[in-house]
């Protein structure tokens, strides 16, 4: 009987070993990488539908706000075309403004490049020809005489000091230069056209 017990013990140990081997083999077999299928099934793409929702237009209310009136300054962008505008205006505000006179009368000639234009001694503007109108062959063609009718275009400039005016503009006396200082501005003419008398 003792032989039977030892046989059973050996057999039990053998059975445990066999069972353990089977278990490890099974686990190893389960842990192996899955096989890739030979056929790949791709789902059919579905058609997409785009839906655009447009909101119903809402009625709008326009509110107009009127501010209290402000004092405005008129900016002259067009050329000044009348001597009266210059003689009756705040002359400081007209510096660097363009001028374009048509059919203006020469009141008096002061020098080679300087003269007065306007309708009377009270309503006149001092004019200085730009240097390019008093050079070379042009100088012989530009001869200003009292009573002539001209078309002039240029820019209003501030009158220099009495001393500078006499140095810049030949023929200007000290009395004329002093009177000119009161005018504040003068017309620097860069275009001149003589009209038939």
């Amino acid at each position: 009987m003792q032989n039977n017990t030892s046989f059973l013990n050996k057999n039990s140990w053998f059975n445990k070993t066999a069972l353990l081997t089977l278990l490890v083999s099974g686990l190893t077999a389960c842990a192996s990488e899955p096989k890739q299928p030979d056929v790949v099934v791709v789902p059919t793409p579905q058609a997409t539908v785009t839906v655009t929702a447009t909101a119903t237009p809402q009625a709008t209310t326009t509110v107009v706000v009127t501010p209290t009136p402000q004092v405005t300054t008129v900016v002259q962008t067009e050329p000044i075309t009348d001597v009266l505008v210059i003689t009756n205006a705040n002359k400081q505000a007209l510096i660097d403004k363009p001028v374009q006179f048509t059919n203006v009368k020469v009141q008096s000639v002061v020098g080679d490049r300087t003269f007065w234009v306007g309708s009377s001694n009270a309503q006149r503007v001092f004019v200085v020809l730009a240097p390019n109108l008093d050079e070379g062959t042009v100088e012989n063609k530009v001869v200003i005489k009292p009573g002539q009718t001209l078309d002039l275009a240029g820019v209003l400039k501030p009158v220099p000091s009495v001393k500078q005016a006499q140095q810049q503009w030949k023929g200007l006396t000290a009395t004329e230069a002093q009177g000119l200082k009161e005018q504040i501005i003068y017309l620097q003419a860069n275009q001149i056209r003589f009209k038939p008398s």
Side-chain angles (χ1 to χ4, degrees):
M1 188 81 181
Q2 195 174 14
N3 273 345
N4 271 345
T5 307
S6 113
F7 176 73
L8 284 175
N9 281 341
K10 286 183 185 177
N11 199 9
S12 168
W13 181 82
F14 180 73
N15 283 340
K16 287 179 184 175
T17 305
L19 182 61
L20 186 59
T21 305
L22 283 174
L23 181 65
V24 169
S25 299
L27 285 176
T28 307
C30 289
S32 66
E33 291 188 27
K35 288 185 178 181
Q36 296 294 329
D38 292 337
V39 177
V40 177
V41 177
V42 178
T44 309
Q46 297 294 319
T48 58
V49 177
T50 304
V51 177
T52 305
T54 306
T56 307
Q58 299 293 321
T60 58
T61 304
T62 304
V63 177
V64 177
V65 178
T66 306
T68 56
Q70 300 289 327
V71 176
T72 58
T73 303
V74 176
V75 177
Q76 184 84 25
T77 54
E78 294 293 318
I80 297 169
T81 58
D82 192 345
V83 172
L84 291 175
V85 171
I86 297 170
T87 59
N88 295 331
N90 172 1
K91 294 179 183 177
Q92 287 288 345
L94 297 179
I95 293 174
D96 293 327
K97 299 295 182 198
V99 173
Q100 191 164 5
F101 291 146
T102 304
N103 297 325
V104 69
K105 289 265 189 213
V106 176
Q107 290 292 314
S108 63
V109 176
V110 178
D112 189 33
R113 296 175 45 214
T114 56
F115 53 96
W116 291 91
V117 296
S119 58
S120 69
N121 284 342
Q123 297 176 340
R124 63 185 187 162
V125 174
F126 189 71
V127 180
V128 177
L129 294 179
N132 65 327
L133 294 178
D134 197 36
E135 295 176 338
T137 58
V138 177
E139 184 177 10
N140 296 331
K141 294 177 185 176
V142 179
V143 178
I144 309 296
K145 296 178 183 174
Q148 285 179 318
T149 302
L150 307 173
D151 288 348
L152 295 170
V155 177
L156 293 171
K157 297 289 183 184
V159 172
S161 69
V162 172
K163 186 177 179 180
Q164 288 175 325
Q166 284 186 283
Q167 288 173 349
Q168 291 175 4
W169 305 321
K170 305 284 187 250
L172 194 64
T173 67
T175 306
E176 289 170 327
Q178 188 61 45
L180 183 59
K181 191 66 182 161
E182 295 169 9
Q183 295 295 316
I184 301 171
I185 56 175
Y186 71 95
L187 172 61
Q188 179 177 308
N190 51 30
Q191 293 179 4
I192 186 170
R193 181 181 302 149
F194 294 89
K195 296 299 207 98
S197 300

